[in-house]
Amino acid sequence: MTITPIRDLGPLLRSLPRHRSAVLLLVLECSIAMAILCNVIAIITDSTDRHRTMTGLDEDRIAVIQNIAVIGSNDSGTIGEGLLALRALPWVEEAAFGPAPFTASTAPIRTSADRIDPTAETYIYFGSQGLSSALGLKVVAGTMLSDEMLPDIEQALTSNGVIQLPALITHSLAERLYPAGDALGKNIYTHVWGSYTATMRVVGIVADFRSDITGNQSDAEAIIAESSFTNQAVGGLYLIRGRGPVTPEQMEEFATTLSTHMPDFAQEPAKSIEQLRNAYFAGEAARSNMLTAILFVVVSSTALGIFGLTHFWVLGRKPYIGIRRALGARRRDIASYFMTENLLISLIGVALGVFTSITLNRGLAAHFEVVPLSGVLIATSACIIVLTCQLAALLPALKVSYIEPSRAGET
């Protein structure tokens, strides 16, 4: 008598209600493991994708140094002197004083001076002459900032307490603030350096670039404004744009040149945009490593739990197996029966796991920035759980298939 899984399906389904406890435990274990698996993989892949996302600038051509003012020093060396020295380096195309991606801060902006509530919160790039060129921004409408447009920072700071600056805005911000396409010539009201009120007149729109990698549309919304810095001796970020990819040797020369012309300032090591990104994502990288370890523990414990429960459950049915063997069932028929049984239970667990995964994801999204689950991710997690269940049940199924009819009565 040959017994096939298809012919066994009816008796198999009828036998499951007689083992409610074991079936329920296996189903719950599969569904909980799948819910954890789906959401942890979603968090890890989102972090990995964002880490690999480029800013849209020529990252390999930009390097930065944080120049720190030392309390009690003479502050010898000015921004103007430092920039002139950096621009004199043969491999430097442009140098500027101001923020770079992953260092820029946000500020509320208003499109009307009479408006009280902010129109949006966006990234502000306020720095010296040459900042937009050092970043390598590309104008898509209007004009680029030029030295002739720029007010001297000393005069700007003392002009009725309001700094008036020409500015560039990214294409995404222009579409958000002025959907009619009339951004050029409009004024935007905001603050720079935390407390100085600034009126920025839009003279150009530049191609989008990312100031941050959060996955939000606001990553590409920014305002870039410049002023003429000459005799100021203040700390801040200096950035250079190379004529080609900046090498480690050139980054060392960058640091040496700045420290030579500004000896009373402390300089951090020069960093590339890639290094800024890695530093920015260092915490998330550690979290991803921890979550990967948790993922391994969850899958391993699920496999071990299913193996132990299946082993105990299967061995408890020796009389049934012996009768099957006496009726002519082959060893592979017995193994196939229990593997099919495990497959059905795991599929029920996965079906429940889909609902559990989505529910958990929505709960996490309500309190944390967790991306929605995709159909591909849910299907992949389901396959992993089913495959894990099948592998965990394989050894017990093979073991019981060797039970002889003569041992059917053993317990």
Side-chain angles (χ1 to χ4, degrees), residues 44 47-48 282-296:
I44 293 174
S47 178
T48 302
E284 291 200 24
R287 183 187 68 178
S288 295
N289 292 335
M290 181 184 68
L291 290 176
T292 301
I294 292 174
L295 203 61
F296 176 78

Side-chain angles (χ1 to χ4, degrees), residues 329-351:
R330 296 167 297 180
R331 288 172 177 168
R332 70 177 185 182
D333 296 327
I334 298 297
S336 177
Y337 176 88
F338 286 110
M339 292 298 290
T340 304
E341 181 181 69
N342 175 270
L343 178 61
L344 285 175
I345 294 173
S346 63
L347 289 176
I348 296 172
V350 162

